[in-house]
Amino acid sequence: MKTDISEKAENIRDVIRYLQKFKNALVVIYLDDKTIESPLFSSHIKDIALLHEAGLQVAIVPGARQRIDQILSSEKIEWTYKNNIRITNQEAMPLIKMAAFDVSNTVMTSLAANNVTAIIGNWVRSRAKGVINGFDFGSAGEIDKLQTDAIKTVLNHGFIPIFPCIGWNSVGHPYNISSVSLAEQIAINLCADKLFFVINGANINCKSFSIPKNIATSENGDIPALNLEEVDEVLKENKKQSEICTILEKAKNACKNGVIRSHILDGSKDGVLPCEIFSNLGSGTMIYTSNYGKIRQLTQSDIPSVLAIMKPFIEQGILLNRTENEIAETMNDYFVYEIDGSIRGCASLHVYKDSQAEIGAVTVDSSYSHMGIGPLLINYLIDLAHSKKCKDIFIMTTQTIDWFEKLGFSLDSDINSLPEERLKKWSVKRNSKLLRYVK
C-alpha cells in the first residue's frame, strides 16, 4: 500500500497537472433541481466558484422541473407528460417561465455570495415541438439555435452564463425546453472540454444496472468510465428507459459531436465536481472517446514513475526488484498505460532467441486496479507477440496465478521448457510458477 505521504503527494500532483491541463477550458454544468434544493447545493456552488477562480470557463444549466410543478400546482393548472416531455397549453407558459427564471436566479444569487458574477440570458432560439403523429405537444419546444457569439462574449468577460429552460422563437414567443438537451447542445456548440450532469442519486453501478462482464467496475460496483462503445453495451443491457439511460445517451452524443468528455455525477455527494476534474480516478462515471487512457512504449522520463508503482509490489514479494539502470537497459521491452499524462500501469514483453515471448513486470497503480488496466496491457502485449510471430507466450509468477488464468494462461509444470537464458534466472528459492498462454 502507498504511504500516507506518497498518496498526498500524488493527489497534489494530480491537481497541479489538471490545473495546467484545464486552464481556460470550458465546462458546461447541468444541475438537476433535486441537487439545487438539497442541503449540499451551497457546497456545489462554492466548488463551481473555485473552478471559475482557478481559470476555467463555466456555463450552468439548472433544472427546474420541481419548481415548475410547485407553481403550476399552486395555480391549479394541470399537466401531463409524454416521452418525458411536459405537456401544457400556452396559458401555462408565463408560470413556467417564472419558475425557470426563479431557479436560475437562485443559482445566480448563490454565485454572487461567492463573489462570482453570473448572467441569466435569453441566448436560446427555439421552435414549437408541434404536432407529432396527431399529438399536440402544446408549449413544449425544441432548440433551434444558440447565440454562440454572445455566449462566448459573456464567458470571455469572466462571467458565468446561466441558461433557464426557456427558448424564444424569432417573434419572442416562449417555449419550455429540456434542460438536459440544452446542456448537451450548449456543450456541443461551444466545443466544451467537459460536460457535467450533476444529478441527485445518479449512480451507474451493479446495483441499479446490468453491467456487461467486459466493463471494469470499482470495488463497490460503480463504473468509473465508459467509452462510446461501452455506453452502447450498457444501454443494450438496460433497455428499460430511465432518467440515467437518457443522460447516458446525451453524454455519448455530446462526445460524438466534439465534447472531449462527459461526466455523470451524484449530486448527493459533496465535492464531486473538483474530484472529477482534478483527479484521474474521479468521483462519478466519465464518458469518453478513445483518447482517455493509452498504451505506449516506455521513455527514459517514465522510469521513476514506473519504479514508484512497482515499489509496493516488490515489497510484498509479488515482483522482482528492478533498478533504474536495469529498466533503462531493456527500455524497448517496456510499455506503460498513461492517463492524462500520468503513468498508472506498466508491463514488459521480452522475445527470446527461440521465439518464445515472456510477459513480465505487470504492474498497475493499486488505486486504479478496478479500471481494467492490467487486462488491457496483457492483451496488448499478446497481440504484439503474435505480430512478432512468437511461437509461445509465457509468464512467471508467485502470487497472481488465478488472475493470469482468467486471462487465458494455464500452468505448465515443465520449467525446463523455458528459454535457456530465462532458465538460468529461475531459482528454487523463489519457485516462480510458469504459465503459458493457451487461447
Side-chain angles (χ1 to χ4, degrees), residues 6-198:
S6 65
E7 286 182 351
K8 290 176 182 177
E10 191 56 38
N11 289 337
I12 293 169
R13 293 184 190 116
D14 278 347
V15 171
I16 294 171
R17 187 181 303 115
Y18 280 105
L19 277 172
Q20 294 171 335
K21 181 179 179 66
F22 291 117
K23 182 73 173 178
N24 298 319
L26 171 62
V27 298
V28 177
I29 302 173
Y30 166 77
L31 297 171
D32 82 327
D33 46 3
K34 291 180 181 178
T35 297
I36 293 171
E37 294 183 6
S38 75
L40 284 176
F41 172 62
S42 59
S43 180
H44 290 312
I45 290 294
K46 186 178 289 293
D47 287 338
I48 291 172
L50 289 172
L51 297 180
H52 185 259
E53 290 171 11
L56 282 74
Q57 293 186 322
V58 180
I60 299 177
V61 182
R65 174 167 289 193
Q66 289 190 149
R67 184 60 180 145
I68 294 172
D69 287 351
Q70 293 167 1
I71 290 181
L72 292 182
S73 295
S74 68
E75 296 298 322
K76 297 182 172 51
I77 294 177
E78 296 182 355
W79 70 92
T80 58
Y81 285 101
K82 185 175 179 63
N83 300 333
N84 205 33
I85 297 170
R86 186 190 300 274
I87 308 300
T88 64
N89 55 33
Q90 287 298 331
E91 285 69 32
M93 270 311 301
L95 296 173
I96 293 174
K97 187 167 66 172
M98 180 176 70
F101 274 82
D102 185 31
V103 174
S104 293
N105 189 64
T106 296
V107 175
M108 183 177 69
T109 302
S110 297
L111 287 168
N114 286 274
N115 299 313
V116 175
T117 302
I119 297 174
I120 302 170
N122 59 344
W123 303 290
V124 183
R125 293 292 169 261
S126 66
R127 63 183 184 276
K129 194 168 183 68
V131 179
I132 301 176
N133 295 325
F135 185 86
D136 187 353
F137 279 83
S139 62
E142 296 277 6
I143 300 167
D144 193 28
K145 182 181 179 181
L146 295 176
Q147 294 183 338
T148 306
D149 290 341
I151 298 167
K152 288 180 178 178
T153 298
V154 171
L155 290 165
N156 291 335
H157 279 82
F159 304 133
I160 292 182
I162 301 174
F163 297 79
C165 56
I166 304 295
W168 288 262
N169 69 8
S170 57
V171 295
H173 194 86
Y175 293 101
N176 185 196
I177 57 179
S178 164
S179 297
V180 170
S181 296
L182 181 56
E184 172 200 7
Q185 201 60 53
I186 291 167
I188 291 172
N189 283 32
L190 295 179
C191 300
D193 296 273
K194 286 181 175 289
L195 168 60
F196 293 97
F197 293 101
V198 183

Side-chain angles (χ1 to χ4, degrees), residues 361-405:
V362 181
T363 317
V364 176
D365 186 329
S366 58
S367 300
Y368 293 74
S369 59
H370 64 281
M371 294 186 69
I373 294 172
L376 287 172
L377 283 165
I378 295 296
N379 290 333
Y380 179 87
L381 295 182
I382 288 172
D383 290 342
L384 182 60
H386 286 156
S387 73
K388 293 176 178 291
K389 309 298 182 184
C390 295
K391 69 177 184 180
D392 214 346
I393 305 169
F394 70 90
I395 60 97
M396 305 293 293
T397 184
T398 57
Q399 300 179 38
T400 54
I401 295 171
D402 294 336
W403 188 79
F404 280 108
E405 285 181 332

Side-chain angles (χ1 to χ4, degrees), residues 279-325:
S279 74
N280 294 132
L281 282 174
S283 56
T285 298
M286 179 178 70
I287 315 303
Y288 65 98
T289 50
S290 58
N291 64 345
Y292 173 55
K294 65 179 180 181
I295 297 172
R296 60 169 176 78
Q297 197 152 32
L298 178 86
T299 65
Q300 185 75 39
S301 62
D302 297 325
I303 295 177
S305 297
V306 167
L307 287 172
I309 296 173
M310 287 182 172
K311 183 179 178 182
F313 298 97
I314 292 171
E315 292 173 347
Q316 295 172 52
I318 297 173
L319 281 181
L320 285 171
N321 188 29
R322 292 168 173 81
T323 66
E324 185 170 345
N325 287 337

